[in-house]
Every structure is written in C-alpha cells, then in structure tokens.
C-alpha cells in the first residue's frame, strides 16, 4: 500500500484542480467585501432608524427574493451555463453595492433606498447561490466535492472575521459608505476569476431541457428522498430562527453590553473565527447524513443558550466562537449531503432549495427575531436561536427513528438512480457510488 496523504494534502486536495484554484482566489477577494457590506448595512439601518425591527426588515428584504423565487432560480441553473450566470449576477451585485455606497457617501441615502437595493442584491442571490453551490462538483468531481465545499465555506468564514473587522475600522474612521464601495470592487474581482476558468475542463452534466413542471419535478424528487427532505427541513428551521446574526449581534453589542460598532464587528469576527476552525476540522475528513446533522443541531442549541445567558461581552464573544464552529460544521454537512444525494439532472433545483432553506427563510424569522430583540432583549433573540436549533435536532431524531423502523428497500429509489437516456457525464456520481451509499447508510 502507498503512503497515505498528509493532513495538509487532504485538507487542500481540491486546490490541485486549476479551475477550482481560480474560483477559490476569486472568493478570497470577493467574500470579505460581501461581509463588509453585510456588517455596514445593519449598522447603517441602526443609525438611520434606531430600530432593531428595521434592521430585521432590511435583512428580510435581501433574502425575500430567495424565498419567493428560489426554485425558479434552480431551474435556470439546471438549464444554463453556471459560470456565465455567476458572471452576470456578480456584475449586477457590484452595481448595486456601488450605488448604495455613493448614496451613503453623498449623504442622500434614505431608508427606502436601502430596502430597495437590499432586495435587488437578494434578487441576484436567487440565481447566484444555487449556481455557486452546484458549480463545485463541476469543477472538482464527486470525489472531492465535500472538500471543495468545505474550503469555500472556510473562505466565507475567514471573510466573516476580516470583513466585519475591516468594516468596524472603516465605519469608525470614514463611515459606512466606503464598505459598500469596497464590495462593489471585490465583486468585479470575482468576475475576473470566473472569466479565467476553462469551460472545457468542467465536468458538466447535460443541461435540463425546457418543459412544464420542472419546479414540481424537483420538489417531488426532494419529497421522495429522505436524505434531501430531512436535511432541507432542518436547514429551514435553523435558517429561520437560529442564524439571524446580522439582526441580533448589533443589538446585543449596543443594547445588552452598551458598546459600539467596534464591539459589534468583534463579535462577528469571533463568530467567524469559530466557523474557520469548524471548516478546517471538517476539510480533512468526509462525513454527511442525518445522524451527524442531528448531533450538530443539538450541540448548536446548547451553544446558543449559553450565549443568551452570557454575563459579559467577552464571555458572549468566546461562546460565539463555539457557535461559529458548530454552525460551519452543520452547514458543510448539510451541503455535502444534498449535493451527493441529489439526482445530477436536478442538482441546481435541489441547491436552490438549499438557498431557500438557509437564506430564504430569513425574511420569516428576521423581523420576528429583530422585534423580540428590540422589545424584550437581544438575549431573547439568541434564545430563539437555541429553540430553533433544538427543533431542527428533533426533526432529525424523528427521521432517524422512522428510518430504523422501516425495512430497507430491495433496491435504490428511482429518484436516486442515474437517468438512462440522458445520463450525465461519467464524472457525475450514480446511485451506486460509494458516497451516495454513505448517505443511505447514515440516514437509516
């Protein structure tokens, strides 16, 4: 037997693929700008209105399009070239960020403008998010998709450290407007990285044809596949109630601990540090399935509860490191589960439901968590997160028990088998692949 790859080689395995290296570089530049804007946008609304509810509504406006139109974005992703779609969405995102930056710098910004531009950015996410999620397997293939997703998630979480920290400095020195202008420039860097990717080296399945009922087809596929159905339900609960950090953290810093923008940025950065640690811990090993998600959800509920009860700003920050670590592992595990279990012809539609579950539910939970945090206490906003994570864990536990009580089928469900006449390229996993078998074993 040959020597086993080192931990370092396993952790960064997908960077051996040229196209993924370019994509990774683009994310390294683009993601910090995005998180600078996320941080600045919440603080801007707090400055303009002094209302936690308004902050929640702003976050809701950004993610409402994903909730309303997510499945249709997934259909477009399955039909069209994902790389070109992302180039278009990133150009428009850069435009919206630049417009908002100019409005803030010139002192002409009004609340309704922030709502409108947040909704415009969210409209881009309807297509951009499922395209990004389902693009990973096209760059690196099924054997390395979990590693690629994990590295990308780690970049996002590093950006959660760098972005808010840079935003805190920028807000203190020159105001919020610069943060939006920086994000506009960073989005164009993502466009340049996507343009450098070689389409001929992508492992693309045949595009889905046009036809009626494609959204319903994707929903039926999810409903008939326990690994997909349960994972998306758990994500929806966590996304709606638990991951409302842009809403709760500015209020926690300002109202609970009497601190300013620098403390808010610090809390967000500590959350990101934990997420980076969680991502690196996951990158060198594979793992997916309902049982792992259930354990992570239960641990996440405990961590949220401890943050809600934290007596000081620094104890809350230390506990947010744990929340970030567990959140990253939960999201990575869910993402890998969905990509492997999904029929390749409908991966875009499945990942659009991922966006709906994790991001699109924000409009439902954001205003509620914001109002509770404003009128009761930000601690109660964190407590709602604990209840949401606990509820997600309960969903997973119920599915695991149901699966144990149900006799195993004689053959794989039709929804997980590879299509006959329109079979995808060999690089796309069929239902008999080891990775998909792992999903089935985990879920039962």
């Amino acid at each position: 037997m040959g020597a086993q790859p080192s931990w370092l080689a396993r952790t960064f395995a997908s960077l051996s693929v040229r196209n993924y290296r370019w994509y990774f570089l683009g994310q390294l530049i683009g993601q910090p700008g995005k998180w600078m804007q996320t941080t600045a946008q919440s603080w801007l609304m707090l400055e303009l209105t002094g209302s936690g509810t308004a902050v929640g509504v702003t976050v809701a406006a950004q993610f409402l399009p994903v909730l309303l139109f997510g499945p249709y974005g997934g259909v477009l992703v399955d039909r069209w070239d994902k790389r070109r779609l992302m180039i278009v969405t990133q150009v428009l995102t850069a435009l919206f960020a630049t417009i908002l930056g100019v409005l803030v710098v010139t002192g002409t910004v009004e609340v309704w403008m922030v709502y409108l531009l947040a909704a415009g950015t969210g409209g881009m996410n309807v297509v951009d998010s499922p395209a990004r999620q389902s693009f990973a397997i096209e760059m690196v293939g099924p054997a390395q998709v979990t590693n690629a997703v994990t590295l990308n998630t780690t970049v996002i979480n590093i950006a959660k450290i760098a972005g808010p920290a840079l935003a805190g400095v920028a807000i203190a020195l020159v105001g919020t407007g610069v943060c939006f202008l920086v994000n506009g420039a960073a989005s164009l860097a993502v466009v340049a990285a996507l343009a450098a990717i070689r389409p001929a080296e992508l492992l693309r399945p045949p595009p889905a044809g046009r036809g009626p009922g494609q959204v319903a087809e994707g929903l039926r596929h999810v409903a008939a596949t326990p690994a997909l159905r349960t994972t998306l339900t758990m994500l929806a609960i966590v996304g709606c109630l638990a991951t409302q950090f842009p809403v709760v953290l500015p209020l926690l810093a300002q109202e609970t601990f009497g601190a300013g923008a620098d403390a808010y940025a610090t809390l967000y950065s500590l959350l990101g540090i934990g997420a980076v640690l969680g991502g690196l811990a996951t990158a060198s090993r594979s793992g997916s399935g309902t049982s792992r998600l259930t354990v992570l959800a239960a641990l996440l509920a405990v961590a949220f509860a401890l943050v809600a009860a934290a007596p000081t700003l620094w104890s809350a920050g230390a506990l947010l490191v744990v929340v970030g670590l567990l959140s990253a592992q939960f999201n990575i595990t869910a993402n890998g589960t969905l990509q492997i279990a999904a029929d390749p012809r409908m991966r875009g539609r499945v990942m659009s439901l991922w966006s709906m579950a994790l991001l699109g539910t924000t409009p439902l939970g954001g205003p509620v968590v914001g109002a509770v945090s404003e009128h009761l206490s930000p601690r109660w906003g964190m407590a709602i997160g604990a209840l949401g994570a606990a509820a997600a864990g309960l969903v997973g536990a119920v599915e695991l028990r149901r699966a144990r009580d149900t006799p195993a089928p004689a053959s794989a469900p039709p929804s997980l088998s590879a299509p006959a006449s329109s079979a995808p390229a060999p690089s796309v996993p069929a239902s008999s692949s080891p990775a998909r078998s792992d999903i089935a074993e985990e879920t039962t």
Side-chain angles (χ1 to χ4, degrees):
M1 294 180 61
Q4 292 294 317
S6 66
W7 175 86
L8 194 64
R10 294 196 308 272
T11 300
F12 298 99
S14 52
L15 290 178
S16 63
V17 180
R18 177 195 176 277
N19 278 345
Y20 186 74
R21 287 198 301 272
W22 275 107
Y23 180 83
F24 186 82
L25 177 62
Q27 296 303 300
L28 277 176
I29 300 171
Q31 286 296 329
K34 174 184 175 181
W35 285 100
M36 285 186 71
Q37 171 151 337
T38 298
T39 306
Q41 182 174 276
S42 293
W43 196 257
L44 173 64
M45 288 303 292
L46 205 55
E47 287 181 330
L48 291 175
T49 67
S51 168
T53 303
V55 175
V57 171
T58 306
V59 175
Q62 184 164 340
F63 295 113
L64 184 61
V66 175
L67 178 64
L68 296 178
F69 307 111
Y72 298 96
V75 170
L76 294 178
V77 169
D78 282 336
R79 286 179 181 173
W80 295 349
D81 184 291
K82 298 176 181 63
R83 185 182 69 97
R84 292 180 179 178
L85 281 175
M86 287 187 287
I87 289 174
V88 172
T89 59
Q90 288 300 310
V91 168
L92 292 174
T93 297
L95 177 62
F96 294 146
T98 303
I99 291 173
L100 183 55
V102 171
L103 289 171
V104 174
V105 169
T106 58
T108 56
V109 67
E110 297 183 20
V111 171
W112 69 267
M113 299 175 182
V114 182
Y115 288 152
L116 183 63
L117 289 168
T121 301
M124 296 304 99
N125 281 333
V126 170
V127 174
D128 187 77
S129 183
R132 281 189 293 109
Q133 298 304 323
S134 56
F135 193 52
I137 199 168
E138 294 188 7
M139 288 184 285
V140 303
Q144 295 184 351
V145 65
T146 300
N147 179 262
V149 168
T150 302
L151 289 182
N152 191 55
T153 302
T154 301
V155 169
I156 293 172
N157 291 323
I158 290 173
K160 288 182 181 178
I161 303 170
L166 292 171
V169 173
I171 292 170
L173 294 179
V174 292
T176 56
V178 171
C179 298
F180 304 117
L181 296 175
V182 169
N183 186 43
S187 297
L188 293 179
V190 176
V191 172
L194 289 168
I197 288 175
R198 295 172 181 167
E201 296 176 9
L202 295 175
L203 309 173
R204 291 184 292 188
R210 297 177 178 272
Q214 290 182 312
V215 170
E217 181 186 21
L219 294 175
R220 286 193 300 270
H221 173 49
V222 168
T225 311
L228 301 179
R229 181 181 65 237
T230 304
T231 299
L232 287 168
T233 301
M234 295 175 72
L235 274 172
I237 297 171
V238 169
C240 182
L241 299 176
T243 56
Q244 299 290 345
F245 301 118
V247 178
V248 178
L249 291 187
L251 293 169
L252 192 69
Q254 185 181 72
E255 303 297 331
T256 301
F257 299 116
D262 55 343
Y264 164 45
T266 299
L267 290 179
Y268 231 132
S269 295
L270 289 170
L271 183 74
I273 289 172
V276 170
L277 295 175
L280 291 175
T282 309
S284 60
R285 58 190 179 91
S286 60
S288 54
T290 305
S291 60
R292 188 175 180 191
L293 282 173
T294 301
V295 172
L296 289 170
L299 293 173
L300 194 56
V302 174
F304 267 99
L306 291 174
V307 175
T312 66
L313 176 66
W314 290 110
S315 61
L319 289 165
L320 280 170
V321 174
V322 179
V323 170
L325 186 150
L326 294 170
S327 295
Q329 292 193 334
F330 182 87
N331 292 338
I332 290 166
T333 301
N335 192 304
T337 300
L338 294 175
Q339 294 222 41
I340 294 170
D343 186 316
R345 298 171 303 163
M346 292 183 277
R347 190 172 285 119
R349 277 164 280 185
V350 170
M351 298 315 295
S352 74
L353 295 175
W354 180 92
S355 300
M356 285 185 65
L358 194 60
L359 306 177
T361 51
T362 298
L364 303 178
V368 173
V369 173
V372 169
S373 299
E374 177 183 356
H375 298 294
L376 294 179
S377 166
R379 295 186 185 277
W380 280 105
M382 294 300 298
I384 290 175
L387 292 174
L394 181 61
V395 168
V398 169
E399 174 58 30
L400 287 171
R401 182 172 181 178
R402 185 205 64 79
R404 282 195 298 266
D405 294 341
T406 302
S411 58
S415 60
L416 290 181
S417 59
S421 59
S422 58
S427 58
V428 180
S431 60
S432 58
S433 70
R436 195 163 294 185
S437 298
D438 291 343
I439 292 291
E441 290 169 6
E442 279 275 68
T443 325
T444 55

